Amino acid sequence: MKKQTLFLLSILGLFISNSISYSAQTPITKLSATNGEIKSIVANGGQLSANIDVNDGKLSNALTPGFLIVTNSNSQKSLQLTATCNTQDGPVNAFFFPLFSLEYHYIALTNSNVLPPSHCVDCVKKFNGALNSDNNPNVIAYRMTNLEDIPNVMDVRYDNNFNRWDITLLKRGATALNVEIPGGELPLTNTYSTCDEGGNYQATITLSFI
Amino acid sequence: MKKLLMSTIALSVIGFTGFNDVKAAPIASQTVTAVLGTISSVESYGGNVSTTIDDTGSLTTPLDPGFKIISNVGTSQALTLTATTTSSSGEVNAFSSSNGNVYIALANVNTPPTSDAVTNAQSDSPVAASNPNVICYAVTPPTNIEGQLEYSWNSSGNYYDVNLTHQGDTITQLVVPATSAKPNTFNGNDESGSYQAIVILSYN
């Protein structure tokens, strides 16, 4: 303890002597810390699971995955909201906008326990699932709540070519974004039937800066 | 002290590095899951379930109760088609087989027969006086549906084993043709009333 005290006093003495020695030269020492641009997104809770009514395919509750966008930049930032569902042929785009639909966009969930071939997802998208329930086993499609512009916060636009949401972030700081697949609604016509085996029907929704 | 100082610096570096890693990720994903349960159900599906017996003991119209099997299971499933009828000592098996035919016994629910009477009617050589209030009729072997449904008679248990290999809705029925009764099971000992059996299709 005594040694430590002496050691600290010695260091203090060095600082004092240093100060005395160079005080006349008034040195300028610049302290610099670079704060880089922050562009981060984190998952932000929400309801991620529901049950499917075996009688009619309705979700027991809404699915509401949330995201928190954080940026310290004043400039507008572009983001994309995409979704994939898994198939025997790998992940495919889960978002789609049926031709007959004037307003609503849909998301396809696939059975992760019994993966469908990708053409079953294509059938749901291409023919809106309305031709025949037999052509899309283990794929069920649900309407999504449309994303909407938030004045001075974000502009959103659905890209029909790529079936994704393009988002322009207009503010810095933290901004929450929630996606909603409403509960209690019938699935897209002919996408739910007894051709759909029991299991976990899933899609992964991704929000990213571009 | 030196160690403490070094540790503090090290922790700070690690802490800030970790902090920066979390903040820097420009992408995040969430997976949503909707759980669908297994569907294995059977419903009644029409068919004629009521007729009359003429004075020779023949059914005037066929009885052909129908069933709808509903399944979202992709693998084969086992079901059983059974039948019961009422005796004075409770429910007994209404199906039986003799001389190469499968029969269903209809018992008078207004005046239930004894279980011995049912057994007698179901035997290879019924005695008319020994089976009052029981009348047996031959059933048509249920129709197999290729790739969907296959029946096989279980002679030890006197019922049909059913192998379902179809996902979705499958319609099937048991047919009791409008034919005469099994010999020596209809006669003047059978009192008037409703002669009934209950046909049950169930998942094992």
Side-chain angles (χ1 to χ4, degrees):
Chain A
M1 183 66 184
K2 192 175 178 182
K3 280 184 180 177
Q4 282 184 342
T5 307
L6 282 170
F7 177 69
L8 287 172
L9 284 173
S10 300
I11 292 173
L12 183 61
L14 281 175
F15 275 118
I16 292 169
S17 69
N18 190 41
S19 172
I20 291 168
S21 301
Y22 293 95
S23 59
Q25 297 177 24
T26 59
I28 299 170
T29 303
K30 286 187 179 178
L31 296 177
S32 176
T34 303
N35 185 18
E37 186 180 64
I38 297 173
K39 292 196 302 184
S40 89
I41 304 171
V42 292
N44 191 31
Q47 182 64 40
L48 301 180
S49 65
N51 292 316
I52 299 172
D53 189 322
V54 295
N55 296 309
D56 53 23
K58 290 178 179 175
L59 294 178
S60 59
N61 52 267
L63 295 167
T64 58
F67 298 92
L68 188 66
I69 311 163
V70 179
T71 180
N72 62 352
S73 173
N74 276 325
S75 61
Q76 293 183 358
K77 298 294 176 194
S78 296
L79 299 94
Q80 287 178 348
L81 183 73
T82 58
T84 58
C85 55
N86 209 4
T87 72
Q88 292 174 12
D89 311 301
V92 297
N93 195 341
F95 284 155
F96 65 104
F97 186 47
L99 295 175
F100 71 85
S101 177
L102 298 177
E103 184 179 5
Y104 295 123
H105 302 83
Y106 288 79
I107 185 170
L109 307 183
T110 55
N111 189 338
S112 62
N113 304 91
V114 187
L115 288 175
S118 60
H119 68 75
C120 291
V121 181
D122 292 339
C123 283
V124 168
K125 293 180 188 175
K126 191 173 181 180
F127 302 114
N128 312 321
L131 283 184
N132 189 337
S133 60
D134 292 340
N135 65 14
N136 58 77
N138 298 310
V139 185
I140 310 176
Y142 293 93
R143 180 182 78 81
M144 296 178 61
T145 301
N146 283 341
L147 297 182
E148 294 184 351
D149 292 345
I150 304 173
N152 302 318
V153 176
M154 66 171 67
D155 290 337
V156 296
R157 183 182 70 87
Y158 189 82
D159 186 327
N160 286 314
N161 293 320
F162 294 97
N163 281 307
R164 69 180 184 222
W165 290 91
D166 292 333
I167 299 167
T168 303
L169 187 66
L170 306 173
K171 68 179 278 281
R172 67 177 177 178
T175 304
L177 174 70
N178 283 89
V179 177
E180 183 188 49
I181 305 166
E185 294 189 3
L186 289 172
L188 180 61
T189 305
N190 280 340
T191 66
Y192 173 70
S193 71
T194 47
C195 293
D196 301 308
E197 297 184 54
N200 294 327
Y201 285 72
Q202 296 183 327
T204 297
I205 299 168
T206 301
L207 180 63
S208 60
F209 280 96
I210 57 172
Chain B
M1 184 67 179
K2 191 175 178 183
K3 279 185 180 174
L4 181 64
L5 187 61
M6 291 297 287
S7 299
T8 305
I9 292 169
L11 282 172
S12 300
V13 171
I14 292 167
F16 278 115
T17 303
F19 177 76
N20 284 338
D21 281 350
V22 170
K23 286 293 183 187
I27 185 170
S29 296
Q30 294 250 58
T31 297
V32 292
T33 302
V35 181
L36 177 64
T38 297
I39 303 171
S40 297
S41 69
V42 185
E43 299 174 357
S44 296
Y45 194 72
N48 184 35
V49 294
S50 178
T51 188
T52 54
I53 299 169
D54 69 18
D55 55 9
T56 67
S58 297
L59 299 178
T60 57
T61 57
L63 295 167
D64 53 2
F67 298 94
K68 181 162 77 172
I69 308 167
I70 306 167
S71 169
N72 70 346
V73 178
T75 54
S76 65
Q77 294 185 284
L79 296 91
T80 306
L81 183 71
T82 59
T84 62
T85 193
T86 304
S87 76
S88 56
S89 50
E91 298 299 308
V92 296
N93 193 344
F95 278 148
S96 61
S97 64
S98 66
N99 304 319
N101 292 316
V102 174
Y103 293 93
I104 188 167
L106 306 184
N108 188 335
V109 294
N110 306 100
T111 311
T114 64
S115 59
D116 286 344
V118 176
T119 301
N120 179 272
Q122 293 176 328
S123 67
D124 287 340
S125 304
V127 176
S130 300
N131 56 60
N133 298 313
V134 189
I135 310 174
C136 290
Y137 295 92
V139 303
T140 301
T143 304
N144 294 332
I145 306 173
E146 189 172 350
Q148 296 190 11
L149 197 69
E150 186 174 331
Y151 284 89
S152 58
W153 175 249
N154 187 315
S155 56
S156 60
N158 285 318
Y159 55 78
Y160 284 101
D161 288 315
V162 185
N163 187 35
L164 177 71
T165 52
H166 179 244
Q167 193 179 332
D169 296 351
T170 306
I171 309 300
T172 187
Q173 63 181 168
L174 178 74
V175 178
V176 185
T179 55
S180 56
K182 181 182 177 184
N184 290 324
T185 65
F186 173 76
N187 56 56
N189 292 319
D190 298 314
E191 300 178 53
S192 62
S194 295
Y195 284 72
Q196 294 183 346
I198 297 173
V199 182
I200 303 166
L201 181 60
S202 60
Y203 278 87
N204 290 354

